[in-house]
Amino acid sequence: MLGASLLPHEYTHSWNGKFRRPYDLWTPNFNVPERDDLLWVYEGLTNYYGMVLAARSGLWTPQQFREAMAATTASMTFRPGRQWRPLQDTADEASILYYVPGSWATWRRQVDFYAEGTLLWLDVDTKIRALTHGRKSLDDFARQFFGIHPGSPVTVTYTFDDIVKALNQVAPYDWAGFLRTRLDYVGNALPEADGLGRAGWKLGFTDTPDSYQKAMAVQSHALNQMYGAGLLVSDNDGRVIDVLWDGPAFKAGLAPNMQILAVDGKTWSRDVLADALRAAAQSKQPISLLVKNLDYVSTLKLDWTGGLRYPHLARIPGTPDDLDRILSPLR
């Protein structure tokens, strides 16, 4: 499972808007219509364990896990589209959202049940650990829920109520309410952030990319400043790949598929834009962008003085490190 679905949401689409993977839905037999409302389970949970098992097996170091989790958390934190589209709806609309263009992803939302689903199951995992004082975890749920009929080729389907029932057998709690509160939430917050906090960590930002961010930049050929100035720009030609809805670049008038020709009077390059963002943090002056939109060229003012911003995880002082426990190999 160490594939494209482990990447932060912005990186799961190619820039021509075509998704790299076919969508998967479920049905108990050929006489029943396909359903996708539980994609937050069979994609989100798979994605979560894909990351956890990569660290437990030694394919990733704990630091690499934290870097990937920081990117995932940041991508889902900066989702203003959550004001109108809940996580559940990204699953219900999967057959459509898989094929929408990659632009305006933060407002439209896309197949966020992968990334936000990952955070949801971290939330469940840490809640089980808290309820049982560390005696049980999501591993107990997985063994009980998936470890049935070993060796049998027969597919066993399940429902939301089945998931709730199995969770209650591991740690009695209002799991239906817990899950629905997160799945149906509409607002500005990231409801699953509780799981990260419960694990003893929080999202933070620095002006230096970590190894994960560097690798993503090489893979995507783009400068990702969605969490600062609010834009994702192609290294090659300055084309704006996406813009954070209602972010600084959005307010400056930038939109996907515009092309940045010059920055503060200097011909476009990735380094020129990065240097301008650093300089603006000191000067507190807007950045001047010469932008091409179809056949028109204009100058826009990007009013962002926060510099470069890259996500990372920071420890919450005085709390136990549950991530360390989650990532420890099982004996």
Side-chain angles (χ1 to χ4, degrees), residues 1 4-9 12 39-52 60 65 68-73 75-76 87 111-126 138 183 190 192-193 195-196 323 326:
M1 193 56 192
S5 62
L6 290 184
L7 305 178
H9 193 68
T12 60
L39 277 165
W40 53 273
V41 184
Y42 37 85
E43 297 294 11
L45 180 56
T46 302
N47 213 50
Y48 175 66
Y49 265 121
M51 296 176 69
V52 169
W60 277 2
F65 174 92
M69 186 59 72
T72 299
T73 305
S75 68
M76 291 298 101
L87 174 59
V111 287
D112 290 356
F113 49 81
Y114 281 97
E116 192 170 337
T118 300
L119 301 177
L120 173 61
W121 287 101
L122 172 64
D123 201 3
V124 173
D125 197 352
T126 56
L138 191 63
L183 293 167
L190 174 63
E192 296 85 6
L196 191 61
L323 281 188
I326 289 170

Side-chain angles (χ1 to χ4, degrees), residues 124-141 166-173 175 198 322 325:
V124 173
D125 197 352
T126 56
K127 187 64 175 178
I128 292 173
R129 292 168 187 267
L131 289 170
T132 63
H133 304 286
R135 292 189 296 272
K136 294 185 179 180
S137 71
L138 191 63
D139 295 335
D140 295 282
F141 164 80
L167 286 169
N168 272 308
Q169 290 173 344
V170 173
Y173 189 65
W175 287 109
R198 208 178 290 115
D322 258 9
R325 296 184 179 92

Side-chain angles (χ1 to χ4, degrees), residues 196-210:
L196 191 61
R198 208 178 290 115
W201 294 82
K202 62 182 179 180
L203 180 66
F205 295 90
T206 68
D207 60 2
T208 304
D210 57 33

Side-chain angles (χ1 to χ4, degrees), residues 55-135:
R56 287 180 182 174
S57 66
L59 292 175
W60 277 2
T61 65
Q63 177 62 25
Q64 287 172 321
F65 174 92
R66 290 192 294 270
E67 291 176 358
M69 186 59 72
T72 299
T73 305
S75 68
M76 291 298 101
T77 298
F78 285 75
R79 272 291 186 270
R82 190 177 287 110
Q83 297 172 35
W84 71 274
R85 169 166 272 166
L87 174 59
Q88 181 64 67
D89 195 55
T90 69
D92 295 336
E93 296 296 313
S95 58
I96 297 173
L97 292 176
Y98 267 117
Y99 297 105
V100 299
S103 56
W104 301 121
T106 62
W107 181 249
R108 179 192 295 114
R109 301 199 72 175
Q110 293 176 310
V111 287
D112 290 356
F113 49 81
Y114 281 97
E116 192 170 337
T118 300
L119 301 177
L120 173 61
W121 287 101
L122 172 64
D123 201 3
V124 173
D125 197 352
T126 56
K127 187 64 175 178
I128 292 173
R129 292 168 187 267
L131 289 170
T132 63
H133 304 286
R135 292 189 296 272

